């Protein structure tokens, strides 16, 4: 992707080229980076993150397929899918982010462009990535919305109008039309109607007797007595030493569940120590920081007479994935940490996604139960880009690995309806695991308890996306699964879990993995010879003695 670290896929949409607004003959979706940079310069770093970045692919007949990418690494949801409390928080944040654009809207260089960018195609264009509001399909209007000023106002009322601060309006280039933002107004009270006297129906009006009200004198002594008592109390209260005024009690500050500042300090200190030791020769490195030399972790004693898992059994599949899959920890600037998954494809080589380690240095860390600790891994090779349709791969290499680590075979023998299993470390699930939380906070003492998450599904389709072939499947994946293996029932990696697409209209989520075919090409181009198996997977019970087993 271009700048701003827009590497996280949000959604895919379809549009018509004629519906995309243009300023000075240039489409808003072409070469967005200078506009984003100017917004950040005028409004503060990160202000442009309100607008996701389009990756546009032209189709026949002026149709466009647009993949939207953002800077926030979380699942994207439509506003109507949020609960009431979260929707209110995201709505408030959206108004604040639009308010922050005022300097850009007033700028002679990009003011007209930013005002046009505030037009969105429909309600679904506004999404929440975590609790961050993000606009997709911005800078475009359906034809009916630009047919008249009234139609323009109605369209904005249904889309972004409810979130607009006072005095800020989307604009159509070349049109003077504006819509009013939310403005405070005084509540109006209807004047009370004077009650008219009425006469009872059916009876003649009676003569009204007039009485002259005689003014009533009020004796002054009760008022004087009350005033005297009040004055006496006031003098007593004011006399020094009679009353003490305690300091107002402050409500107790709720204890934070997580001290983020302390966590960041621990992470920074831990990363600094690790980098300092990695720069030393192996014989001079402090083992108390890096840990002991990699050796085989102790294996639990097998039950007497218990045979190993049968080839093709679920137990054998789980064992092979556990032995190969790793948690990837990539330190980024600003004390941030990118997490993902990866898996061994050789004795020292690990395959993951480029977007997992993008922005990190030359060294990241990998951890798993099979490794027994967090191990530094060198970023040996990365794909040229990590956008949709590109081979989003990265190759990591560790200096050594214990014998408990087993590389996965790669297989291209996969088809629709075949059973698949996704393995990895999705943060949404792993955040409830204490061992995972400790590792994220820099404590790897309990790493022997780290267990990955596995989900099952079937292959739905295998479309060709640009230069890569992808596998659409129903094994659930989410943030943190990126780079992990998609395995067949025989424990062979048939894909690399990479991204998801949320379909708001059909309330459906699709999971995508890059195919093993493209992974093999990437590894071969970088000098890694991998073990492949192209026979169809036969998941069957252990055969009788003397008969061949299923393909492995």
């Amino acid at each position: 992707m271009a700048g701003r670290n827009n590497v996280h896929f949000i959604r895919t949409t379809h549009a018509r080229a004629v519906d995309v607004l243009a300023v000075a003959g240039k489409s808003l979706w072409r070469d967005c980076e200078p506009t984003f940079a100017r917004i950040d310069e005028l409004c503060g770093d990160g202000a442009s993150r309100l607008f996701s970045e389009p990756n546009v692919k032209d189709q026949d007949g002026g149709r466009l397929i647009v993949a939207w990418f953002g800077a926030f690494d979380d699942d994207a949801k439509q506003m109507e899918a949020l609960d009431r409390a979260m929707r209110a928080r995201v709505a408030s944040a959206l108004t604040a982010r639009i308010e922050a654009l005022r300097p850009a809207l007033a700028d002679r260089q990009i003011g007209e462009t930013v005002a046009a960018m505030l037009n969105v195609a429909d309600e679904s264009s506004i999404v929440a990535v975590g609790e961050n509001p993000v606009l997709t399909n911005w800078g475009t209007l359906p034809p009916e919305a630009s047919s008249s000023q009234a139609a323009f106002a109605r369209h904005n009322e249904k889309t972004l109008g409810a979130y607009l601060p006072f005095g800020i309006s989307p604009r159509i280039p070349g049109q003077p039309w504006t819509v009013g933002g939310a403005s405070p107004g005084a509540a109006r009270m209807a004047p009370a109607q004077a009650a008219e006297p009425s006469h009872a129906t059916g009876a003649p009006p009676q003569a009204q007797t007039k009485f002259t009200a005689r003014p009533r004198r009020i004796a002054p002594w009760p008022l004087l007595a009350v005033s005297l008592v009040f004055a006496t109390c006031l003098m007593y209260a004011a006399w020094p030493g009679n009353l003490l005024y305690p300091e107002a009690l402050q409500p107790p500050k709720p204890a934070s569940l997580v001290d983020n500042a302390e966590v960041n300090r621990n992470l920074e200190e831990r990363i600094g120590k690790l980098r300092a030791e990695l720069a030393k020769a192996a014989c001079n490195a402090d083992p108390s920081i890096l840990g002991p030399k990699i050796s085989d972790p102790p294996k639990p004693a097998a039950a007497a007479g218990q045979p190993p898992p049968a080839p093709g059994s679920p137990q054998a599949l789980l064992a092979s994935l556990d032995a190969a899959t790793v948690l990837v920890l990539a330190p980024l600037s600003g004390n941030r940490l990118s997490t993902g998954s990866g898996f061994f494809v050789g004795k020292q080589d690990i395959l993951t996604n480029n977007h997992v380690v993008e922005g990190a240095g030359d060294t990241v860390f990998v951890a798993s139960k099979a490794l027994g600790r967090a191990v530094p891994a060198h970023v040996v090779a990365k794909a040229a880009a990590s956008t949709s349709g590109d081979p989003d791969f990265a190759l990591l290499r560790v200096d050594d690995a214990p014998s408990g680590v087993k590389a996965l075979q790669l297989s291209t023998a996969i088809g629709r309806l075949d059973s698949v299993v996704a393995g990895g470390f999705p943060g949404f699930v792993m955040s409830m695991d204490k061992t995972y939380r400790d590792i994220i906070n820099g404590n790897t003492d309990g790493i022997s308890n780290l267990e990955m998450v596995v989900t099952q599904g079937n292959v739905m389709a295998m479309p060709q996306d640009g230069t890569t072939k992808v596998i659409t499947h129903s094994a659930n994946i989410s943030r943190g699964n990126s780079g992990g293996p998609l395995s067949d029932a025989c424990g062979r990696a048939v894909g690399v879990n990479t991204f998801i697409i949320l379909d708001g209209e059909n309330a459906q989520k699709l999971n995508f993995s890059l195919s093993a075919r493209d992974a093999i090409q990437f590894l071969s181009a970088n000098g890694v010879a991998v073990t492949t198996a192209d026979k169809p997977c036969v998941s069957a019970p252990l055969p009788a003695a003397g008969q061949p087993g299923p393909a492995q």
Side-chain angles (χ1 to χ4, degrees):
M1 293 300 297
R4 303 191 307 152
N5 200 28
N6 288 335
V7 298
H8 304 293
F9 177 81
I10 298 176
R11 62 185 298 224
T12 296
T13 62
H14 299 265
R16 299 191 312 165
V18 295
D19 294 339
V20 183
L21 300 177
V23 174
K26 178 184 175 183
S27 169
L28 296 181
W29 289 356
R30 303 296 180 185
D31 191 23
C32 306
E33 187 58 29
T35 302
F36 291 150
R38 181 64 174 167
I39 291 174
D40 288 339
E41 177 185 351
L42 294 170
C43 307
D45 189 28
S48 65
R49 292 182 179 183
L50 173 62
F51 303 98
S52 56
E53 188 164 347
N55 184 357
V56 182
K57 294 185 179 180
D58 296 306
Q59 305 293 310
D60 295 336
R63 307 292 298 181
L64 305 175
I65 297 179
V66 191
W68 297 93
F69 291 82
F72 304 109
D73 186 10
D74 211 329
D75 293 336
K77 295 182 180 179
Q78 302 293 331
M79 293 290 283
E80 60 268 20
L82 306 178
D83 60 60
R84 181 179 302 178
M86 185 173 181
R87 185 163 59 246
R89 292 194 298 271
V90 174
S92 177
L94 177 54
T95 300
R97 286 184 177 273
I98 298 175
E99 173 67 35
L101 296 176
R102 284 190 188 272
L105 290 165
D107 184 57
R108 292 184 177 182
Q109 178 181 340
I110 63 168
E112 185 180 12
T113 299
V114 177
M117 291 167 65
L118 288 176
N119 292 288
V120 294
D122 50 32
E123 302 95 316
S124 66
S125 302
I126 307 169
V127 299
V129 183
E131 293 198 4
N132 299 287
V134 177
L135 300 183
T136 63
N137 268 3
W138 50 262
T140 180
L141 283 175
E144 60 272 14
S146 56
S147 60
S148 67
Q149 184 171 1
F152 178 64
R154 286 194 300 270
H155 177 80
N156 277 280
E157 183 179 355
K158 292 188 300 182
T159 54
L160 208 58
Y163 311 103
L164 293 176
F166 178 72
I168 291 182
S169 171
R171 300 291 295 268
I172 299 178
Q175 292 287 2
W177 305 337
T178 61
V179 295
S183 60
R188 295 183 177 180
M189 301 296 294
Q193 300 295 326
E196 294 290 335
S198 59
H199 299 287
T201 58
Q206 302 293 325
Q208 300 294 321
T209 305
K210 294 184 178 180
F211 296 93
T212 301
R214 186 176 182 180
R216 183 181 178 184
R217 292 187 177 183
I218 301 177
W221 65 265
L223 182 60
L224 291 174
V226 173
S227 300
L228 183 60
V229 171
F230 178 76
T232 303
C233 293
L234 187 61
M235 291 177 62
Y236 175 81
W239 195 265
N242 284 337
L243 291 181
L244 296 177
Y245 298 93
E247 295 182 0
L249 295 177
Q250 299 297 326
K253 184 177 180 180
S256 175
L257 293 178
V258 178
D259 187 347
N260 291 324
E262 182 65 23
V263 170
N264 287 338
R265 284 194 297 270
N266 290 340
L267 277 173
E268 186 177 11
E269 181 181 356
R270 177 69 173 169
I271 291 171
K273 289 181 178 179
L274 286 170
R275 285 176 172 168
E277 294 304 316
L278 287 172
K280 298 178 181 179
C283 57
N284 296 327
D286 186 352
S288 65
I289 296 176
L290 287 180
K293 185 179 184 299
I294 299 176
S295 58
D296 295 346
K299 300 179 180 179
Q306 182 177 351
S313 68
Q315 293 78 13
L317 169 61
L318 186 60
S320 64
L321 290 177
D322 277 332
T325 309
V326 298
L327 169 65
V328 180
L329 305 165
L332 305 177
S333 61
N335 291 328
R336 295 177 299 127
L337 186 68
S338 173
T339 64
S341 304
F343 60 98
F344 277 90
V345 292
K347 179 63 178 175
Q348 297 173 264
D349 296 320
I350 298 170
L351 182 64
T352 186
N353 283 140
N354 180 22
H355 74 258
V356 172
V357 298
E358 197 167 32
D362 295 332
T363 302
V364 297
F365 298 91
V366 294
S368 71
K369 181 187 293 188
L371 284 170
R373 69 184 183 107
V375 178
H378 308 289
V379 181
V380 177
K382 295 192 294 186
S386 58
T387 59
S388 176
D390 292 319
D392 183 4
F393 297 116
L395 176 63
L396 313 179
R397 183 166 295 156
V398 297
D399 293 332
D400 194 8
S403 61
V405 171
K406 303 294 184 184
L408 291 182
Q409 291 182 326
L410 276 73
S411 175
T412 58
I414 191 69
R416 290 175 298 168
L417 292 182
D418 283 353
S419 297
V420 288
V421 174
F425 298 89
F428 178 71
V429 180
M430 297 299 298
S431 61
M432 293 182 287
D433 181 77
K434 182 180 183 302
T435 299
Y436 177 84
R437 295 197 304 268
D438 287 345
I439 293 172
I440 295 300
N441 292 333
N443 180 8
T444 59
D445 292 342
I447 205 165
S448 60
N449 298 318
L450 181 66
E451 291 189 345
M452 68 171 180
V453 176
V454 289
T455 56
Q456 294 179 288
N458 299 92
V459 175
M460 302 165 62
M462 300 179 67
Q464 185 80 23
D465 184 15
T467 60
T468 60
K469 187 175 183 179
V470 297
I471 301 173
T472 309
H473 58 87
S474 58
N476 190 44
I477 60 175
S478 60
R479 181 171 60 99
N481 274 111
S482 293
L486 182 72
S487 166
D488 62 12
C490 294
R492 307 173 303 184
V494 297
V496 180
N497 296 314
T498 303
F499 63 95
I500 63 174
I501 291 180
L502 298 175
D503 184 356
E505 294 181 1
N506 300 307
Q508 187 179 15
K509 173 186 171 186
L510 298 178
N511 310 285
F512 293 88
S513 302
L514 299 181
S515 70
R517 181 201 69 180
D518 296 306
I520 293 171
Q521 292 176 357
F522 169 79
L523 293 170
S524 298
N526 289 283
V528 178
V530 297
T531 305
T532 61
D534 297 328
K535 294 181 180 179
C537 172
V538 180
S539 180
L542 186 66
Q547 295 182 353
Q552 297 297 311

